[in-house]
Amino acid sequence: MKSVTCLAFIQNANLEKKVIDCLSKFKSIQFFGFVNQPVDFLERMNHFRPEILILDLSHHKNDESDFLELIHKPPFVLGIIPSKENPHFWLDKGLFDVIPSNFSNDLLIRKIYKIIRVIFDISNLYLTEPMAAENPIVFKPLKPHQNKENDSFYIRYQKVTTKIRINTITVIAKEHKLIAIETSTNQLYFHESTIKETVMKLNVDFLVRINNATIINLYYVDKIKKNMVHMGERVFKVSRSYYFQFRNAVNALQKKW
């Protein structure tokens, strides 16, 4: 996964510590640091142009929001607002998302992961990798799965163990020392493991590793075009190292039907 740049404008020491703790879990983030003074913030924004901006809005009243017009807003601005404040005011100002000032670490991690996933998906739409001439994958959408696919998988995060059904897993992505598991029920789980260990423990033929950082569920694939896999509105790239393994898995699974 490519590096994503991030800057934070936070004027509260406790919030800063919480944000540091959450960002430290993301290897894919190139963090430009914190600023707590408006002048420094404007200078940093004009110099670095980060992709993600974490903005502490707890000291800004609704009628003082014009400072947002003074900056070149990044594509993804995540605002931290007072717990009782209406988030729609800030969303209407062009923020990507907001969280309350009493947020949990898990909530911020989920929001950051969501932003990184969107950036990654957009990048894949415009990224192509030359492939050696070979027979293309003939792909037909697979039928609903049964039997072992209904088994459960136990994940562990922050000393809490959770059981999820294997057949609901759609995408597994590496994120530093954690992996993020997305499901067909639009839930996101974190697991203290690695991609390699996880794919070995799952041991099912429909969950296939496509690059160093991603495992996908073939049952949720809509289309395959060369080395690009389409799942709904999302597009994933199959790296050269895993292409033949991926192609063989697709062909083998379709022969069962």
Side-chain angles (χ1 to χ4, degrees):
M1 183 178 291
K2 82 178 190 72
S3 179
V4 176
T5 57
C6 178
L7 176 70
F9 178 26
I10 296 179
Q11 298 172 289
N12 179 290
N14 291 329
L15 284 180
E16 183 175 314
K17 290 178 182 178
K18 291 178 70 174
V19 172
I20 288 175
D21 183 58
C22 294
L23 292 180
S24 67
K25 300 183 183 298
F26 291 91
K27 186 178 180 181
S28 55
I29 289 182
Q30 180 186 355
F31 187 49
F32 290 149
F34 289 89
V35 290
N36 54 27
Q37 296 298 325
V39 174
D40 293 337
F41 169 62
L42 294 175
E43 289 180 353
R44 287 280 191 100
M45 286 300 299
N46 289 329
H47 179 70
F48 288 114
R49 298 290 179 87
E51 295 167 284
I52 302 174
L53 171 63
I54 301 176
L55 199 56
D56 177 12
L57 297 167
S58 57
H59 299 287
H60 295 275
K61 298 179 181 179
N62 289 354
D63 57 358
E64 297 176 348
S65 62
D66 291 342
F67 79 101
L68 288 174
E69 306 301 327
L70 300 177
I71 65 172
H72 177 81
K73 284 199 291 292
F76 299 95
V77 181
L78 178 62
I80 301 173
I81 63 175
S83 302
K84 297 181 179 180
E85 189 165 318
N86 185 352
H88 295 291
F89 173 84
W90 295 106
L91 294 174
D92 290 342
K93 288 287 183 179
L95 274 66
F96 179 77
D97 209 341
V98 295
I99 57 175
S101 56
N102 60 350
F103 64 87
S104 65
N105 284 15
D106 186 63
L107 175 61
L108 180 56
I109 289 173
R110 289 172 183 270
K111 295 293 186 180
I112 294 294
Y113 178 76
K114 174 184 174 182
I115 293 173
I116 292 176
R117 188 182 70 182
V118 172
I119 294 173
F120 182 66
D121 291 346
I122 292 173
S123 298
N124 274 340
L125 288 174
Y126 301 99
L127 182 63
T128 58
E129 178 180 339
M131 301 290 291
E134 58 191 31
N135 295 329
I137 300 175
V138 179
F139 180 77
K140 297 178 181 179
L142 297 168
K143 298 179 181 179
H145 35 302
Q146 301 173 353
N147 303 325
K148 188 175 182 179
E149 291 89 330
N150 290 319
D151 287 352
S152 298
F153 177 57
Y154 290 87
I155 61 175
R156 185 170 178 80
Y157 177 59
Q158 295 184 342
K159 299 182 181 181
V160 177
T161 300
T162 305
K163 182 174 76 171
I164 59 177
R165 293 181 61 184
I166 293 177
N167 67 340
T168 65
I169 296 173
T170 56
V171 177
I172 302 174
K174 173 178 143 183
E175 194 50 68
H176 197 21
K177 295 182 180 180
L178 301 173
I179 59 172
I181 301 175
E182 303 172 37
T183 71
S184 58
T185 54
N186 294 321
Q187 292 177 297
L188 174 66
Y189 300 93
F190 289 95
H191 181 40
E192 295 163 353
S193 185
T194 65
I195 289 287
K196 182 178 180 180
E197 291 175 352
T198 301
V199 76
M200 291 177 64
K201 288 182 179 179
L202 287 170
N203 192 30
V204 289
D205 51 10
F206 60 90
L207 285 170
V208 181
R209 189 172 182 177
I210 60 172
N211 54 51
N212 286 332
T214 314
I215 298 169
I216 64 168
N217 188 332
L218 293 178
Y219 287 111
Y220 292 92
V221 172
D222 298 311
K223 181 174 65 173
I224 299 172
K225 187 175 181 181
K226 294 184 179 180
N227 64 328
M228 307 304 289
V229 180
H230 297 252
M231 300 176 68
E233 296 181 355
R234 304 177 65 186
V235 182
F236 297 90
K237 185 177 75 169
V238 184
S239 69
R240 186 185 300 275
S241 301
Y242 291 93
Y243 182 78
F244 292 104
Q245 172 185 318
F246 171 70
R247 185 183 66 177
N248 292 338
V250 172
N251 292 338
L253 198 58
Q254 292 198 123
K255 286 179 180 178
K256 292 184 179 182
W257 304 102

